[in-house]
């Protein structure tokens, strides 16, 4: 995908999603906008540059543009600037790793999870073995795997992964960083999609993470939503 060209996103009145003219499968119960974010985040993280999306959502009659940053945050379109200098040194990407990641991304966009998931797991395991579990490149691979879990509807894996990623970014980068906040929000969103039995099991770790990595005013709403749902789950 050429990151210099905007992604053309169309959501029809009945919720069908097309990206760059191609139909994109949306898992049951997932809003198409979440699928757009996951796909663009995977591509932005791989390229290391912001990606622009032109969105036409027929459900609301809205047309708008936004950028997805490599760290998973979104913002209104901006004038291109020089890439931010990394604060943590990273190992160079090998040609083999780049090719494997590109192939996994292509499989994910095609909804071929039988190919994408094992490939992402192998990439993540290889980086963890060579660079360590908490290396920035390993964490980015973990984010790719967590995005895959959302796209295939494996919300238990997504919740556990994003919870761990948020805590690890917090330990690595310190408080107040956008990557940590995005991961925490993704963990909470994924948890809200879980069936009651799985939600009850994963709630303690999720709430503990939210209390640790963010100031109370930033997570107050999501913590309240989680606690309200928990009260309904508890006999």
């Amino acid at each position: 995908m050429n990151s210099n060209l905007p992604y053309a996103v169309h959501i029809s009145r009945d919720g069908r999603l097309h990206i760059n003219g191609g139909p994109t499968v949306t898992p049951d119960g997932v809003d198409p906008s979440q699928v757009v974010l996951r796909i663009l985040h995977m591509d932005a993280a791989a390229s290391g540059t912001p990606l622009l999306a032109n969105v036409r959502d027929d459900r609301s009659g809205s047309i708008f543009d936004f950028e997805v940053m490599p760290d998973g945050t979104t913002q209104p379109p901006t004038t291109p600037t020089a890439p931010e200098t990394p604060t943590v040194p990273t190992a160079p990407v090998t040609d083999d790793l780049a090719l494997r990641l590109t192939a996994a991304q292509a499989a994910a966009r095609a909804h071929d999870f039988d190919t994408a998931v094992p490939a992402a797991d192998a990439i993540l395991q290889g980086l963890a073995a060579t660079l360590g579990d908490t290396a920035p490149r390993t964490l980015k691979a973990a984010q790719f795997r967590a995005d895959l879990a959302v796209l295939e509807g494996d919300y238990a894996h997504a919740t556990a992964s994003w919870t761990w990623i948020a805590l690890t970014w917090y330990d690595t980068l310190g408080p107040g960083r956008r990557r940590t906040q995005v991961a925490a929000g993704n963990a909470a969103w994924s948890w809200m999609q879980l069936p009651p039995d799985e939600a009850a099991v994963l709630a303690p770790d999720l709430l503990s993470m939210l209390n640790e990595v963010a100031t109370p005013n930033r997570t107050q709403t999501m913590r309240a939503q989680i606690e309200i749902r928990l009260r309904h789950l508890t006999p």
Side-chain angles (χ1 to χ4, degrees):
M1 183 68 66
N2 186 343
S3 60
N4 294 321
L5 298 176
Y7 283 62
V9 178
H10 177 220
I11 303 174
S12 66
R13 289 183 180 276
D14 58 1
R16 286 178 294 172
L17 172 63
H18 286 74
I19 299 178
N20 292 335
T24 302
V25 178
T26 301
D28 291 341
V30 177
D31 190 272
S33 60
Q34 281 291 328
V35 175
V36 173
L37 289 175
R38 298 278 75 80
I39 290 175
L40 266 65
H41 176 219
M42 287 191 297
D43 289 357
S47 67
T49 58
L51 297 181
L52 176 65
N54 303 133
V55 181
R56 186 174 93 238
D57 191 340
D58 293 344
R59 298 173 302 175
S60 60
S62 57
I63 299 175
F64 58 93
D65 297 342
F66 71 93
E67 283 183 329
V68 176
M69 312 303 287
D71 63 9
T73 57
T74 61
Q75 63 183 36
T78 58
T79 302
T81 58
E84 180 180 320
T85 302
T87 56
V88 182
T90 59
V93 179
T94 65
D95 290 341
D96 176 65
L97 177 60
L99 290 172
R100 290 163 58 202
L101 179 58
T102 298
Q105 288 175 300
R109 286 193 295 270
H111 245 61
D112 179 8
F113 297 116
D114 289 341
T115 299
V117 169
D121 285 339
I123 291 169
L124 178 57
Q125 290 165 9
L127 288 171
T130 57
L131 302 178
D133 289 340
T134 61
R137 196 170 302 285
T138 304
L139 288 172
K140 291 177 183 178
Q143 290 178 162
F144 173 53
R145 179 64 181 89
D147 281 336
L148 279 180
V150 172
L151 288 173
E152 68 171 336
D154 186 355
Y155 300 118
H157 187 110
T159 301
S161 293
W162 284 118
T163 298
W164 176 80
I165 291 167
L167 286 168
T168 309
W169 276 130
Y170 179 79
D171 291 340
T172 302
L173 301 176
R177 301 304 292 267
R178 290 193 304 175
R179 287 176 178 173
T180 303
Q181 303 304 320
V182 169
N186 286 341
W189 183 89
S190 300
W191 183 86
M192 293 297 290
Q193 316 310 310
L194 287 170
D197 55 339
E198 295 181 55
V201 171
L202 293 174
D205 286 344
L206 174 63
L207 287 171
S208 176
M209 177 273 289
L210 292 174
N211 282 320
E212 181 173 349
V213 306
T215 54
N217 62 312
R218 290 191 175 185
T219 60
Q220 182 177 6
T221 300
M222 66 178 72
R223 289 203 320 271
Q225 292 173 340
I226 292 167
E227 289 166 355
I228 288 172
R229 188 180 183 213
L230 273 177
R231 285 198 291 270
H232 288 89
L233 296 178
T234 306

